[in-house]
Amino acid sequence: MIVVLHRSAASEDVAAVADRVAALGMMAHVINGTERTVVAATGSEDEAHRETLASMAQVESVMPILAPYKVASLEAKPEPTQVVTGSLTIGGGVCGVIAGPCSVESEEQIMTSARAVKAAGATALRGGAFKPRTSPYAFQGMKEEGLKLLAAARDETGLAIVTEVMTPTDVELVGDYADVLQIGARNMQNYRLLEACGESPAAVLLKRGMSSTMDEFLLAAEYVLSRGNERVMLCERGVRTFESHTRFTLPLATVPYLHARTHLPIVIDPSHGTGVASLVPPMMNAAIACGADGLIVEVHPDPPNAASDGPQSLTPDAFAKAMIACGKVADAVGLTMDTTNV
Ligand code: PEP
Ligand code: MN
């Protein structure tokens, strides 16, 4: 249920309501909106609890949250969430671009990539150090060595770092280096991992499972939010269909659909969504045209020799051209492309 406080409520009033919610055996999530503060109470939806909370002097009204996802829902927070971490801002009318190679491969590769994507206007660097690969014989990533190279790239360029974490036990390690923990499509329903990321101070980029429904996606985000991490971005990266001309099928209707249900920012990944480099720039434009809050794009200095996902990786030149086009689309639809070079 959502406990709406009076506009005049002070921080002690919010604390008193949150304490009462906890005393009733529910979890309290304080959501500070621009207009007013609400406390989302999750757990048992007991009618008696509702009345107890409604009778508190600081409380204006108590309403049930109808959506199965509670803290993620627009009912709990009608205004969009803007996620800010280091150089990256995504959401609330600002479109940010995360770019870089699929995997961190060497110091030279990640530094060249970081400089190139920054010059083209990206505000965060991606690069996998722990790679979830279909085959156990494929390159598995540079692990902590890769994280150190990402941190060095941040030191030089100022770009925020987005990198994948695959297991709950690695959340602390990856969080020591990364600004954003990426939860991969194959792990969207790894509930222990979601909970561990929910307890991390780092922001989270949650990718949609390749055969997950929207409700499953939002409930996965709810796992992270329910542990207190408010900085969650949702990423549509394509789903499995009968189609074989692309690697996955990229449903852009996800963007307006989710905007009507959640305040969380929506990021589109046209690289995994298509698997084909030539299809990436048009889908970057299309994603912005339908209101995406951000993009995550694979860019590699030498795609034919990439250790992973070369066929879908843009060259630095192709990425720079695509970014110019995206800026024009953003202007046309009233979004601000955040290309502030940090
Ligand atoms: C990736 O970003 O390189 C990746 C493995 O993505 P996904 O989890 O969407 O397949
Ligand atoms: Mn990849």
Side-chain angles (χ1 to χ4, degrees):
M1 60 190 89
I2 307 168
V3 186
V4 182
L5 278 80
H6 288 297
R7 272 173 210 279
S8 57
S11 57
E12 311 85 77
D13 299 328
V14 178
V17 171
D19 287 350
R20 180 64 70 87
V21 167
L24 292 170
M26 294 177 284
M27 265 178 82
H29 311 267
V30 176
I31 301 173
N32 294 302
T34 44
E35 291 281 306
R36 60 177 70 200
T37 301
V38 305
V39 177
T42 56
S44 114
E45 291 272 323
D46 193 320
E47 186 56 33
H49 291 167
R50 215 175 121 179
E51 280 162 21
T52 306
L53 292 165
S55 68
M56 292 180 78
Q58 305 92 331
V59 171
E60 184 181 287
S61 60
V62 182
M63 291 173 301
I65 305 178
L66 300 177
Y69 36 90
K70 306 293 176 189
V71 186
S73 75
L74 269 188
E75 297 166 75
K77 182 170 180 274
E79 67 263 26
T81 290
Q82 185 172 72
V83 173
V84 182
T85 175
S87 61
L88 181 69
T89 300
I90 279 188
V94 178
C95 182
V97 180
I98 303 161
C102 178
S103 307
V104 181
E105 298 167 15
S106 68
E107 182 174 354
E108 197 197 332
Q109 176 249 17
I110 198 66
M111 289 300 178
T112 309
S113 305
R115 290 178 199 128
V117 300
K118 179 179 171 178
T123 46
L125 175 68
R126 64 149 291 148
F130 292 92
K131 292 304 302 176
R133 304 305 301 281
T134 302
S135 164
Y137 307 117
F139 174 59
Q140 302 288 312
M142 292 180 75
K143 316 224 164 71
E144 190 167 1
E145 206 46 49
L147 295 174
K148 288 185 177 152
L149 294 178
L150 287 166
R154 175 177 49 206
D155 286 347
E156 189 198 294
T157 61
L159 291 173
I161 300 301
V162 181
T163 194
E164 180 159 354
V165 58
M166 288 171 56
T167 66
T169 44
D170 285 340
V171 168
E172 210 177 312
L173 171 74
V174 179
D176 283 345
Y177 295 93
D179 300 280
V180 180
L181 301 170
Q182 177 176 322
I183 301 174
R186 292 154 190 82
N187 263 322
M188 189 205 83
Q189 288 181 309
N190 180 340
Y191 299 116
R192 298 295 85 81
L193 177 63
L194 297 171
E195 286 169 350
C197 290
E199 279 159 20
S200 169
V204 169
L205 180 79
L206 176 64
K207 292 190 133 196
R208 178 185 182 181
M210 61 184 83
S211 58
S212 299
T213 64
M214 287 287 110
D215 274 7
E216 287 165 342
F217 191 17
L218 287 163
L219 282 164
E222 188 76 12
Y223 265 88
V224 182
L225 296 166
S226 70
R227 292 287 166 136
N229 192 337
E230 294 169 6
R231 295 188 301 166
V232 177
M233 296 168 272
L234 299 172
C235 177
E236 172 60 84
R237 46 77 73 212
V239 291
R240 243 300 122 80
T241 68
F242 56 83
E243 189 49 78
S244 57
H245 77 292
T246 50
R247 185 176 175 193
F248 292 97
T249 295
L250 182 63
L252 291 178
T254 296
V255 176
Y257 181 90
L258 287 176
H259 276 155
R261 283 159 184 83
T262 180
H263 51 87
L264 298 174
I266 323 298
V267 175
I268 292 290
D269 176 348
S271 308
H272 295 86
T274 63
V276 182
S278 64
L279 302 180
V280 171
M283 296 316 281
M284 290 167 69
N285 289 338
I288 293 174
C290 71
D293 301 288
L295 300 173
I296 178 164
V297 182
E298 288 187 341
V299 178
H300 193 286
D302 181 15
N305 290 304
S308 58
D309 288 351
Q312 68 194 35
S313 298
L314 295 183
T315 60
D317 277 356
F319 177 64
K321 279 204 191 86
M323 286 292 280
I324 292 169
C326 284
K328 294 181 188 160
V329 179
D331 280 348
V333 297
L335 273 174
T336 304
M337 275 285 271
D338 183 13
T339 53
T340 351
N341 279 325
V342 276

